[in-house]
Amino acid sequence: MKLEIVLITGMSGSGKSVALHALEDAGYYCVDNLPPELLLSFIKLEQTRDAKKVAIAMDVRSATSLPLVPQQLEALRKHGVNIKSLFLDAATDTLVRRYSETRRKHPLSRSEMTDQQHALVEAIELERELLADLREQAHVIDTSIIRSSQLQGYIKSLVAAPEAQLTLVFESFAFKRGIPVDADYVFDVRMLPNPHYEPDLRALTGRDEPVAAFLRQSRDVAQMFSHIDQFLSHWLDLLARDHRSYVTVAIGCTGGQHRSVYLVEQLATAFSKRWVTLKRHRELDARGGVEPPSGGATVF
């Protein structure tokens, strides 16, 4: 069995520690804040120990040496190491709120600035610039408005996906709670017939047969499915040839409960015949416990 590495990078305060805990539960040997200069020698050491699954977290505390990482990952892949690179992101206002709640200091904060709010925003935007290259080459997970348990579930499903040229992630969401920043493609389906206005369907979801039957009757719903299907079918082969590991397709309606959920379910079923396919329902998944505040749950 080849050595499998999961590299976790991302914004400070976006939930990297939560992700590492999820990977540890999944049987990975986890190392936090490994300096990039030590990456190759560390992997070589783990190979001599016959390690199978390793998770490594890197962040902006190693800013000066982060540019080394893309070339190091390419070298490891050429030597047969399986690498999954995940980047955790969140909206700036969410990160500001999380730091305000925990009273932690951002690693790039400048202590000489008197306006701490401005200093924090400035540090976050600088961090985005420093991590831009790593973000570009990784699968992005938006943690802005998800709970820790949701993030753990997302991480475990991604690393459990079989090795493939491309993994397709379908995600339903509510526009009223914001567009996921991790989406590669976003489709707005708010113009479709809304089961919310049917009393017998209001409390159900797009995964329930009565809602599905209601939506199947609509020509507009069928046409929307057809258009998304045709668009993705045309471009996925090109994306795979471009060495993309993940593509996230977000389907949004008003409440993230009926129309977007139904279409995600249908699209995931259709595309699973050819691609490794995962499903997420951002708003439904959040119902596993207390609904998080609009700014997002703390996932430090």
Side-chain angles (χ1 to χ4, degrees):
M1 179 179 176
K2 294 181 180 180
L3 174 61
E4 179 182 328
I5 299 174
V6 177
L7 177 65
I8 301 288
T9 59
M11 300 295 293
S12 302
S14 62
K16 292 188 295 297
S17 60
V18 173
L20 278 183
H21 290 153
L23 291 167
E24 191 171 32
D25 291 343
Y28 286 77
Y29 175 64
C30 298
V31 179
D32 191 12
N33 195 29
L34 180 73
E37 297 93 336
L38 301 180
L39 176 60
L40 296 180
S41 58
F42 172 73
I43 296 304
K44 187 175 182 179
L45 174 62
E46 291 304 304
Q47 288 175 318
T48 63
R49 295 176 176 175
D50 200 28
K52 302 302 181 186
K53 298 196 295 185
V54 176
I56 299 169
M58 293 182 180
D59 56 41
V60 79
R61 286 173 289 181
S62 302
T64 57
S65 51
L66 283 177
L68 298 173
V69 176
Q71 290 182 340
Q72 292 173 326
L73 296 180
E74 184 61 26
L76 289 171
R77 289 190 177 99
K78 288 181 179 179
H79 285 83
V81 178
N82 293 327
I83 301 173
K84 293 185 177 180
S85 184
L86 307 179
F87 187 99
L88 306 189
D89 203 350
T92 297
D93 58 348
T94 299
L95 296 174
V96 169
R97 181 186 56 78
R98 290 174 182 171
Y99 270 100
S100 298
E101 289 175 350
T102 61
R103 299 185 181 278
R104 292 178 58 184
K105 182 180 179 181
H106 191 281
L108 298 180
S109 292
R110 293 160 54 190
S111 57
E112 69 271 16
M113 293 187 67
T114 56
D115 186 344
Q116 294 303 308
Q117 180 85 355
H118 179 74
L120 179 55
V121 172
E122 185 178 87
I124 290 170
E125 295 309 315
L126 175 59
E127 183 179 24
R128 288 196 191 282
E129 294 179 17
L130 294 172
L131 298 178
D133 288 343
L134 288 176
R135 189 186 193 278
E136 182 67 24
Q137 300 182 34
H139 175 62
V140 181
I141 301 177
D142 180 7
T143 71
S144 299
I145 58 173
I146 64 174
R147 304 187 335 271
S148 295
S149 59
Q150 284 178 267
L151 176 57
Q152 289 176 337
Y154 292 170
I155 293 290
K156 291 177 181 178
S157 66
L158 286 168
V159 300
E163 287 299 319
Q165 214 174 6
L166 183 145
T167 296
L168 190 55
V169 181
F170 287 102
E171 179 175 13
S172 66
F173 72 95
F175 271 97
K176 67 181 182 181
R177 300 187 68 210
I179 298 174
V181 300
D182 53 5
D184 295 295
Y185 298 104
V186 176
F187 293 94
D188 183 351
V189 300
R190 287 175 291 184
M191 76 293 291
L192 299 179
N194 192 351
H196 175 79
Y197 297 111
E198 301 293 326
D200 294 339
L201 304 179
R202 183 171 300 173
L204 303 179
T205 78
R207 291 185 293 196
D208 294 315
E209 177 54 29
V211 173
F214 172 85
L215 293 172
R216 279 197 299 266
Q217 296 174 359
S218 168
R219 291 184 179 180
D220 289 337
V221 172
Q223 190 171 38
M224 176 65 75
F225 173 89
S226 177
H227 286 172
I228 297 174
D229 177 87
Q230 290 175 26
F231 176 85
L232 294 176
S233 296
H234 178 80
W235 291 108
L236 284 177
D237 282 323
L238 290 176
L239 288 167
R241 288 202 293 270
D242 195 40
H243 306 292
R244 289 287 295 273
S245 297
Y246 301 94
V247 172
T248 299
V249 180
I251 312 292
C253 61
T254 304
Q257 178 177 332
H258 297 110
R259 296 163 290 181
S260 61
V261 171
Y262 170 78
L263 282 168
V264 161
E265 292 289 329
Q266 299 304 308
L267 289 163
T269 298
F271 281 87
S272 65
K273 298 172 183 176
R274 181 175 179 189
W275 305 95
V276 175
T277 304
L278 301 175
K279 294 182 293 185
R280 297 178 192 161
H281 296 297
R282 191 180 71 180
E283 321 311 336
L284 299 189
D285 294 344
R287 296 179 181 180
V290 178
E291 186 78 10
S294 59
T298 299
V299 291
F300 264 107

PDB file of all heavy atoms in Angstrom, residues 189-207:
ATOM      1  N   VAL A 189     -31.218  28.192  -8.541  1.00  0.00           N
ATOM      2  CA  VAL A 189     -32.460  27.527  -8.949  1.00  0.00           C
ATOM      3  C   VAL A 189     -33.675  28.134  -8.235  1.00  0.00           C
ATOM      4  O   VAL A 189     -34.720  27.503  -8.115  1.00  0.00           O
ATOM      5  CB  VAL A 189     -32.384  26.003  -8.700  1.00  0.00           C
ATOM      6  CG1 VAL A 189     -31.235  25.395  -9.482  1.00  0.00           C
ATOM      7  CG2 VAL A 189     -32.240  25.678  -7.215  1.00  0.00           C
ATOM      8  N   ARG A 190     -33.546  29.389  -7.806  1.00  0.00           N
ATOM      9  CA  ARG A 190     -34.643  30.030  -7.074  1.00  0.00           C
ATOM     10  C   ARG A 190     -35.850  30.333  -7.958  1.00  0.00           C
ATOM     11  O   ARG A 190     -36.938  30.624  -7.434  1.00  0.00           O
ATOM     12  CB  ARG A 190     -34.149  31.320  -6.413  1.00  0.00           C
ATOM     13  CG  ARG A 190     -33.257  31.083  -5.209  1.00  0.00           C
ATOM     14  CD  ARG A 190     -32.688  32.373  -4.648  1.00  0.00           C
ATOM     15  NE  ARG A 190     -31.715  32.978  -5.571  1.00  0.00           N
ATOM     16  CZ  ARG A 190     -31.018  34.079  -5.287  1.00  0.00           C
ATOM     17  NH1 ARG A 190     -31.214  34.699  -4.128  1.00  0.00           N
ATOM     18  NH2 ARG A 190     -30.140  34.558  -6.158  1.00  0.00           N
ATOM     19  N   MET A 191     -35.684  30.276  -9.268  1.00  0.00           N
ATOM     20  CA  MET A 191     -36.818  30.561 -10.155  1.00  0.00           C
ATOM     21  C   MET A 191     -37.729  29.351 -10.339  1.00  0.00           C
ATOM     22  O   MET A 191     -38.795  29.452 -10.951  1.00  0.00           O
ATOM     23  CB  MET A 191     -36.309  31.048 -11.514  1.00  0.00           C
ATOM     24  CG  MET A 191     -35.748  29.952 -12.426  1.00  0.00           C
ATOM     25  SD  MET A 191     -34.209  29.196 -11.782  1.00  0.00           S
ATOM     26  CE  MET A 191     -33.079  30.588 -11.965  1.00  0.00           C
ATOM     27  N   LEU A 192     -37.337  28.196  -9.833  1.00  0.00           N
ATOM     28  CA  LEU A 192     -38.125  26.976  -9.999  1.00  0.00           C
ATOM     29  C   LEU A 192     -39.295  26.934  -9.011  1.00  0.00           C
ATOM     30  O   LEU A 192     -39.271  27.626  -7.977  1.00  0.00           O
ATOM     31  CB  LEU A 192     -37.224  25.756  -9.798  1.00  0.00           C
ATOM     32  CG  LEU A 192     -36.050  25.624 -10.774  1.00  0.00           C
ATOM     33  CD1 LEU A 192     -35.228  24.391 -10.446  1.00  0.00           C
ATOM     34  CD2 LEU A 192     -36.531  25.593 -12.219  1.00  0.00           C
ATOM     35  N   PRO A 193     -40.329  26.131  -9.293  1.00  0.00           N
ATOM     36  CA  PRO A 193     -41.464  26.008  -8.372  1.00  0.00           C
ATOM     37  C   PRO A 193     -40.988  25.635  -6.964  1.00  0.00           C
ATOM     38  O   PRO A 193     -40.129  24.754  -6.805  1.00  0.00           O
ATOM     39  CB  PRO A 193     -42.296  24.876  -8.990  1.00  0.00           C
ATOM     40  CG  PRO A 193     -41.947  24.895 -10.428  1.00  0.00           C
ATOM     41  CD  PRO A 193     -40.505  25.302 -10.508  1.00  0.00           C
ATOM     42  N   ASN A 194     -41.540  26.309  -5.966  1.00  0.00           N
ATOM     43  CA  ASN A 194     -41.048  26.159  -4.596  1.00  0.00           C
ATOM     44  C   ASN A 194     -42.016  25.338  -3.738  1.00  0.00           C
ATOM     45  O   ASN A 194     -43.121  25.797  -3.431  1.00  0.00           O
ATOM     46  CB  ASN A 194     -40.854  27.539  -3.966  1.00  0.00           C
ATOM     47  CG  ASN A 194     -40.080  27.470  -2.671  1.00  0.00           C
ATOM     48  OD1 ASN A 194     -39.815  26.391  -2.137  1.00  0.00           O
ATOM     49  ND2 ASN A 194     -39.707  28.630  -2.142  1.00  0.00           N
ATOM     50  N   PRO A 195     -41.622  24.147  -3.304  1.00  0.00           N
ATOM     51  CA  PRO A 195     -42.485  23.324  -2.447  1.00  0.00           C
ATOM     52  C   PRO A 195     -42.801  23.976  -1.107  1.00  0.00           C
ATOM     53  O   PRO A 195     -43.733  23.549  -0.419  1.00  0.00           O
ATOM     54  CB  PRO A 195     -41.668  22.042  -2.254  1.00  0.00           C
ATOM     55  CG  PRO A 195     -40.755  21.998  -3.425  1.00  0.00           C
ATOM     56  CD  PRO A 195     -40.396  23.439  -3.696  1.00  0.00           C
ATOM     57  N   HIS A 196     -42.038  24.986  -0.736  1.00  0.00           N
ATOM     58  CA  HIS A 196     -42.289  25.674   0.542  1.00  0.00           C
ATOM     59  C   HIS A 196     -43.721  26.208   0.615  1.00  0.00           C
ATOM     60  O   HIS A 196     -44.294  26.297   1.719  1.00  0.00           O
ATOM     61  CB  HIS A 196     -41.290  26.819   0.708  1.00  0.00           C
ATOM     62  CG  HIS A 196     -41.533  27.669   1.914  1.00  0.00           C
ATOM     63  ND1 HIS A 196     -41.152  27.292   3.188  1.00  0.00           N
ATOM     64  CD2 HIS A 196     -42.133  28.893   2.047  1.00  0.00           C
ATOM     65  CE1 HIS A 196     -41.503  28.244   4.050  1.00  0.00           C
ATOM     66  NE2 HIS A 196     -42.093  29.215   3.374  1.00  0.00           N
ATOM     67  N   TYR A 197     -44.281  26.569  -0.521  1.00  0.00           N
ATOM     68  CA  TYR A 197     -45.616  27.155  -0.530  1.00  0.00           C
ATOM     69  C   TYR A 197     -46.724  26.104  -0.591  1.00  0.00           C
ATOM     70  O   TYR A 197     -47.905  26.456  -0.666  1.00  0.00           O
ATOM     71  CB  TYR A 197     -45.746  28.126  -1.704  1.00  0.00           C
ATOM     72  CG  TYR A 197     -44.783  29.293  -1.569  1.00  0.00           C
ATOM     73  CD1 TYR A 197     -43.700  29.429  -2.427  1.00  0.00           C
ATOM     74  CD2 TYR A 197     -44.952  30.240  -0.556  1.00  0.00           C
ATOM     75  CE1 TYR A 197     -42.805  30.485  -2.290  1.00  0.00           C
ATOM     76  CE2 TYR A 197     -44.074  31.299  -0.414  1.00  0.00           C
ATOM     77  CZ  TYR A 197     -42.993  31.411  -1.288  1.00  0.00           C
ATOM     78  OH  TYR A 197     -42.116  32.455  -1.136  1.00  0.00           O
ATOM     79  N   GLU A 198     -46.340  24.830  -0.538  1.00  0.00           N
ATOM     80  CA  GLU A 198     -47.316  23.744  -0.443  1.00  0.00           C
ATOM     81  C   GLU A 198     -47.352  23.277   1.004  1.00  0.00           C
ATOM     82  O   GLU A 198     -46.368  22.735   1.507  1.00  0.00           O
ATOM     83  CB  GLU A 198     -46.920  22.580  -1.363  1.00  0.00           C
ATOM     84  CG  GLU A 198     -46.816  22.957  -2.823  1.00  0.00           C
ATOM     85  CD  GLU A 198     -48.158  23.331  -3.411  1.00  0.00           C
ATOM     86  OE1 GLU A 198     -49.180  22.736  -2.991  1.00  0.00           O
ATOM     87  OE2 GLU A 198     -48.197  24.224  -4.289  1.00  0.00           O
ATOM     88  N   PRO A 199     -48.470  23.484   1.734  1.00  0.00           N
ATOM     89  CA  PRO A 199     -48.519  23.168   3.172  1.00  0.00           C
ATOM     90  C   PRO A 199     -48.061  21.756   3.508  1.00  0.00           C
ATOM     91  O   PRO A 199     -47.377  21.545   4.519  1.00  0.00           O
ATOM     92  CB  PRO A 199     -49.994  23.383   3.517  1.00  0.00           C
ATOM     93  CG  PRO A 199     -50.469  24.382   2.515  1.00  0.00           C
ATOM     94  CD  PRO A 199     -49.732  24.062   1.245  1.00  0.00           C
ATOM     95  N   ASP A 200     -48.417  20.771   2.686  1.00  0.00           N
ATOM     96  CA  ASP A 200     -48.054  19.387   2.984  1.00  0.00           C
ATOM     97  C   ASP A 200     -46.570  19.098   2.749  1.00  0.00           C
ATOM     98  O   ASP A 200     -46.062  18.069   3.216  1.00  0.00           O
ATOM     99  CB  ASP A 200     -48.885  18.428   2.120  1.00  0.00           C
ATOM    100  CG  ASP A 200     -50.364  18.465   2.468  1.00  0.00           C
ATOM    101  OD1 ASP A 200     -50.694  18.899   3.600  1.00  0.00           O
ATOM    102  OD2 ASP A 200     -51.181  18.074   1.621  1.00  0.00           O
ATOM    103  N   LEU A 201     -45.891  19.981   2.033  1.00  0.00           N
ATOM    104  CA  LEU A 201     -44.486  19.751   1.688  1.00  0.00           C
ATOM    105  C   LEU A 201     -43.522  20.640   2.450  1.00  0.00           C
ATOM    106  O   LEU A 201     -42.314  20.376   2.458  1.00  0.00           O
ATOM    107  CB  LEU A 201     -44.273  19.975   0.182  1.00  0.00           C
ATOM    108  CG  LEU A 201     -45.145  19.157  -0.768  1.00  0.00           C
ATOM    109  CD1 LEU A 201     -44.813  19.519  -2.214  1.00  0.00           C
ATOM    110  CD2 LEU A 201     -44.961  17.670  -0.535  1.00  0.00           C
ATOM    111  N   ARG A 202     -44.024  21.658   3.104  1.00  0.00           N
ATOM    112  CA  ARG A 202     -43.162  22.682   3.705  1.00  0.00           C
ATOM    113  C   ARG A 202     -42.152  22.098   4.683  1.00  0.00           C
ATOM    114  O   ARG A 202     -40.984  22.492   4.699  1.00  0.00           O
ATOM    115  CB  ARG A 202     -44.028  23.734   4.396  1.00  0.00           C
ATOM    116  CG  ARG A 202     -43.222  24.890   4.984  1.00  0.00           C
ATOM    117  CD  ARG A 202     -44.145  25.992   5.463  1.00  0.00           C
ATOM    118  NE  ARG A 202     -44.957  26.514   4.361  1.00  0.00           N
ATOM    119  CZ  ARG A 202     -45.939  27.393   4.524  1.00  0.00           C
ATOM    120  NH1 ARG A 202     -46.242  27.838   5.748  1.00  0.00           N
ATOM    121  NH2 ARG A 202     -46.623  27.828   3.484  1.00  0.00           N
ATOM    122  N   ALA A 203     -42.567  21.155   5.498  1.00  0.00           N
ATOM    123  CA  ALA A 203     -41.676  20.612   6.531  1.00  0.00           C
ATOM    124  C   ALA A 203     -40.745  19.523   6.001  1.00  0.00           C
ATOM    125  O   ALA A 203     -39.837  19.085   6.708  1.00  0.00           O
ATOM    126  CB  ALA A 203     -42.494  20.062   7.689  1.00  0.00           C
ATOM    127  N   LEU A 204     -40.965  19.076   4.768  1.00  0.00           N
ATOM    128  CA  LEU A 204     -40.149  18.015   4.191  1.00  0.00           C
ATOM    129  C   LEU A 204     -38.918  18.607   3.499  1.00  0.00           C
ATOM    130  O   LEU A 204     -38.714  19.812   3.489  1.00  0.00           O
ATOM    131  CB  LEU A 204     -40.988  17.211   3.189  1.00  0.00           C
ATOM    132  CG  LEU A 204     -42.265  16.579   3.735  1.00  0.00           C
ATOM    133  CD1 LEU A 204     -43.016  15.832   2.636  1.00  0.00           C
ATOM    134  CD2 LEU A 204     -41.956  15.649   4.901  1.00  0.00           C
ATOM    135  N   THR A 205     -38.099  17.738   2.920  1.00  0.00           N
ATOM    136  CA  THR A 205     -36.904  18.187   2.213  1.00  0.00           C
ATOM    137  C   THR A 205     -36.874  17.580   0.818  1.00  0.00           C
ATOM    138  O   THR A 205     -37.686  16.711   0.473  1.00  0.00           O
ATOM    139  CB  THR A 205     -35.617  17.780   2.963  1.00  0.00           C
ATOM    140  OG1 THR A 205     -35.357  16.383   2.719  1.00  0.00           O
ATOM    141  CG2 THR A 205     -35.740  18.030   4.455  1.00  0.00           C
ATOM    142  N   GLY A 206     -35.907  18.013   0.032  1.00  0.00           N
ATOM    143  CA  GLY A 206     -35.759  17.498  -1.322  1.00  0.00           C
ATOM    144  C   GLY A 206     -35.377  16.039  -1.386  1.00  0.00           C
ATOM    145  O   GLY A 206     -35.371  15.452  -2.475  1.00  0.00           O
ATOM    146  N   ARG A 207     -35.077  15.433  -0.250  1.00  0.00           N
ATOM    147  CA  ARG A 207     -34.783  14.002  -0.217  1.00  0.00           C
ATOM    148  C   ARG A 207     -36.034  13.170   0.017  1.00  0.00           C
ATOM    149  O   ARG A 207     -35.975  11.942  -0.066  1.00  0.00           O
ATOM    150  CB  ARG A 207     -33.751  13.711   0.880  1.00  0.00           C
ATOM    151  CG  ARG A 207     -32.372  14.260   0.566  1.00  0.00           C
ATOM    152  CD  ARG A 207     -31.329  13.884   1.587  1.00  0.00           C
ATOM    153  NE  ARG A 207     -31.564  14.504   2.877  1.00  0.00           N
ATOM    154  CZ  ARG A 207     -30.656  14.585   3.842  1.00  0.00           C
ATOM    155  NH1 ARG A 207     -29.443  14.082   3.639  1.00  0.00           N
ATOM    156  NH2 ARG A 207     -30.922  15.170   4.980  1.00  0.00           N
TER     157      ARG A 207
END
